[in-house]
Every structure is written in C-alpha cells, then in structure tokens.
C-alpha cells in the first residue's frame, strides 16, 4: 500500500463538471488500494477531515478568496496566469510544503493546472510527482480567443494563452510524469515539453443498461446536451440554434432541436423565439431526452480535453454529428463512429445527411457505443491508474509497500 497525495485547488465543485467526475474517479480508484490524502489549497470548513469514501482531506486554508474579477484583471496586467492569481494567497505554498514533509508521500498528484502552479515555488517532495493535465490549457485559451468575443477580451485571452503555455511547460519540466486525458493533448504537450513520460488515462464511462432499440424516437429530433453557465458553451448553443439550424430547416423543415442541461434558460434572451428550438433547464434526468432524440449534435468550438457529452451520447446509443473540437478525446473516427464537420455549412450538411439516412444513423451509433464501452470502461481506466502508481512507487525512495 502506497501513500498517495492528490492536490486540488478548491473544494470539489458540482459532480457533473468534467473536473469533478474525473477527480472522484481517480480518488475512488486509488482509495481501494492505497492510503490516499486529498489536499485542498483553499476553502472548506474544517482544516482536516476524513471522508467515508476512504481518503483523508486536508484543507490548507479556511479562507475563501473573493474578488475573483479583480484578480482576473490583475492577472491580465501581470506576468502571472489567471489560474495562479485566483488561488495563491500568502503562505499557501509554504503550508503545502510543510504538510507534504509531514505526510511523506510515495506519490504526489498535482490535479489540474489550478493546483499544479505550486510546482514553480514549492519545496519539491523526494518522491515522484505527477501532473494531471485535464486539458492543454494553452490550447483551450487560444481557441477561446477565436470565438468572436470583443477585441479587449480576445487580446486578454491571447496574452493569457501565452502565459499559460509557459506555465504548463514549467510544470511539465518539474514533474516526473504527466497524465493526459486524451491522445490529442498528449501530442500537443510532446511538441513543446522535455517531459518524456506521458500517460493517457481517459475518464471512465459507466455503461447505460437500457437498449437503444427499445427507445421511442421523436422523428427528425436533434439534441444538444450540456451545461450553459460558461459563456463559450452558451455561444456554441446559440450558434447551433440560430445559424446552423436555419440551414438545416431550409432543407428539413420538420427538424427540431432540444437544448437540455444546467442553465439552459439563460439562453432564452439570446435566442428569443427560434422556430423548432426548445429549452429544458435543470432536468431531473437526462435519460428520457437521450432516449427520445434521433441525433445528438455537439457544436463545440473550444479545443482540448475530453468531450464528455460526446461520450455520453454514444453511450446512450445516439448517432452523433460533431465538430472537430467536439470529437476530441473521444477516440471516435469520422464516418466510422460519427460524422465530423466544421463551419455552418459543413455541420448543417452533416446533420441533414444523418436525418435522411436511417441506415447510416444505426451503423454509426452501434459502432460508437461499442467503442466507448470498450475504451472508456471503468475497469480499463482503473487498471491504467493502478499500473501508473505501481511504476511510480518503484521509483520512490520511501518504502511504499512492505514497510508501511
């Protein structure tokens, strides 16, 4: 049994976020076999606590740093990134270094760039350090700068993308291993990092028990599933509902789009009364919407990471039309598992093709579901985590197995 430390920036957010889903999967996989300690850099009620799930929690600070907007502005005017400015506080790194010295871990996971920036300042522990890169943050920020925001916002995003790239390179160079969630992000990092040890460990997807063949479909129905509290997600939804759907309905007037998920009603003012488009916010269960739709559409325009809603749609047995960015990290291939197209004309043409070809829908949906249930199975992902920890513990100077 190894002593494993996982460092995160803040208390765990809503479990439906991609970060929280992956982090809980990691913790639960580790907790079944190792002595696991979760260190939270800021926030939380108690300085330390033990959870029933099998890991100990150490909150370094009870304070919650407010004035987020002010810190973002300060980051724009400095050489530091927004991720650092929003988390750092006096004594943060020293407190972390002291706690790690006391815990004497065999492996330390720096979970997400919002926690991993401490590697620039800390007293590094004498054990393997792993950076978990949920995204290539420089690629995410760079792609956001091309999404049609106003000029000052675009310039701020481009400046931050350069700073984040520098930060990520320094984190990678200070780590013994980097866990990427997708092959695409691993390829990005390899181009500009001397860190030679990259592992790709995707999030796990629990199989859906219901059979797609038993679902009663709404004819010509499209589904967009997501959370719309983040501005880029809302922009994607508005673009699909207005620009793309206008071209789809010109060729298939009966086509409809249901936009489902957290904060969907926030789109009402931007959309108005768009023909054929309905909003369904904060639903009790997403299953009935997946089961009723004929096609899932993923209009993502931001790069990097694993597109969980694409995986979720495939898991429910839906045929998928997506952009190149919406396919990232899913291991799905164009015209084998889904249709991939970019731009208004390309995406609308792919949707129309899928609507008019039931045989193609069935073929792609079956292939995608099989692919996801094979490559993203909880058993496979847990095995990859176990193998990584075992390899790292062999390098650790402490007695991580028999001596504990």
């Amino acid at each position: 049994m190894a002593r494993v430390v996982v460092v995160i920036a803040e208390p765990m957010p809503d479990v439906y976020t991609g970060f929280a889903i992956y982090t809980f999967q990691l913790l639960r996989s580790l907790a079944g076999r190792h002595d696991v300690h979760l260190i939270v850099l800021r926030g939380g009620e108690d300085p330390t606590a033990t959870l029933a799930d099998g890991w100990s929690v150490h909150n370094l600070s009870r304070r919650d740093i407010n004035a987020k907007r002010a810190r973002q502005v300060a980051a724009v005017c400095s050489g530091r990134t927004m991720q650092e400015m929003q988390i750092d506080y006096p004594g943060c790194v020293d407190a972390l270094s002291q706690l790690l010295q006391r815990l004497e871990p065999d492996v330390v996971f720096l979970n997400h760039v919002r926690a991993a920036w401490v590697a620039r300042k800390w007293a590094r522990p004498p054990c393997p350090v792993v950076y978990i890169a949920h995204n290539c943050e420089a690629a995410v920020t760079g792609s956001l700068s091309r999404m049609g925001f106003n000029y000052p916002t675009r310039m701020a995003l481009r400046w931050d993308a350069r700073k984040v790239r520098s930060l990520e390179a320094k984190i990678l160079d200070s780590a013994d291993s980097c866990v990427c969630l997708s092959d695409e992000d691993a390829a990005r990092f390899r181009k500009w990092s001397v860190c030679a040890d990259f592992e790709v460990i995707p999030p796990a997807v629990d199989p859906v028990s219901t059979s797609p063949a038993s679902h009663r479909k709404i004819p010509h129905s499209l589904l967009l599933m997501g959370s719309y509290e983040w501005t880029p997600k809302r922009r994607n939804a508005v673009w699909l509902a207005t620009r793309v759907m206008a071209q789809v309905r010109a060729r298939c007037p009966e086509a409809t789009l249901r936009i489902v998920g957290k904060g969907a009603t926030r789109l009402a003012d931007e959309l108005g009364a768009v023909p054929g488009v309905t909003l369904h916010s904060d639903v009790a269960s997403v299953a009935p919407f997946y089961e009723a739709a004929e096609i899932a559409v993923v209009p993502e325009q931001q790069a990097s990471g694993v597109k969980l809603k694409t995986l979720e749609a495939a898991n429910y047995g839906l045929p998928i039309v997506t952009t190149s960015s919406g396919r990232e990290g899913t291991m799905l291939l164009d015209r084998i598992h889904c249709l991939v197209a970019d731009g208004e004309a390309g995406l609308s043409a792919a949707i129309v093709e899928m609507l008019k070809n039931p045989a193609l829908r069935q073929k792609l949906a079956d292939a995608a579901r099989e692919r996801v249930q094979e490559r993203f199975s909880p058993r496979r992902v847990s095995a990859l985590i176990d193998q990584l920890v075992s390899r790292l513990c062999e390098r650790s100077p402490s007695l991580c197995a028999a001596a504990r």
Side-chain angles (χ1 to χ4, degrees), residues 385-397:
I385 294 172
D386 286 345
Q387 292 165 15
L388 173 62
V389 173
S390 296
R391 288 196 300 272
L392 292 170
C393 283
E394 292 174 358
R395 308 180 199 171
S396 180

Side-chain angles (χ1 to χ4, degrees), residues 318-365:
L318 262 70
I320 299 163
V321 179
T322 179
T323 59
S324 299
S325 294
R327 189 197 64 84
E328 274 204 54
T330 64
M331 304 184 193
L332 303 181
L333 303 177
D334 184 27
R335 307 202 77 85
I336 296 177
H337 307 104
C338 58
L339 292 185
V340 181
D342 293 304
E344 296 164 21
L347 193 62
S348 62
I351 292 172
V352 170
E353 179 184 1
M354 194 81 91
L355 283 170
K356 293 185 174 181
N357 193 333
L360 178 64
R361 292 202 301 269
Q362 191 65 55
K363 172 188 171 184
L364 297 182

Side-chain angles (χ1 to χ4, degrees), residues 89-154:
Y89 58 85
C92 172
V93 177
D94 288 342
L96 173 63
S97 299
Q98 292 169 14
L99 179 56
L100 289 174
Q101 186 176 21
R102 179 168 64 82
L103 290 175
E104 297 183 335
D106 298 302
V107 181
V108 173
F109 287 93
L110 298 176
N111 190 27
H112 201 281
V113 70
R114 286 169 59 81
W117 63 268
V118 299
R120 297 178 63 174
K121 296 182 172 183
W122 69 351
R124 181 192 158 114
C127 67
V129 174
V130 183
Y131 171 41
I132 302 180
H134 288 249
N135 305 283
C136 176
E137 296 294 335
V140 175
T141 308
S143 66
L144 294 180
S145 71
R146 299 185 290 273
M147 284 186 62
F149 292 99
N150 60 44
Y151 181 78
T153 301
R154 294 199 307 273

Side-chain angles (χ1 to χ4, degrees), residues 293-323:
E294 278 198 333
I295 300 169
V297 184
V298 186
E300 298 288 273
Q301 298 178 71
Q302 64 274 12
S304 186
V306 176
K307 302 308 188 284
L308 292 176
K309 294 307 176 185
T310 305
L311 295 178
E312 190 173 76
N315 198 28
Y316 272 95
L318 262 70
I320 299 163
V321 179
T322 179
T323 59

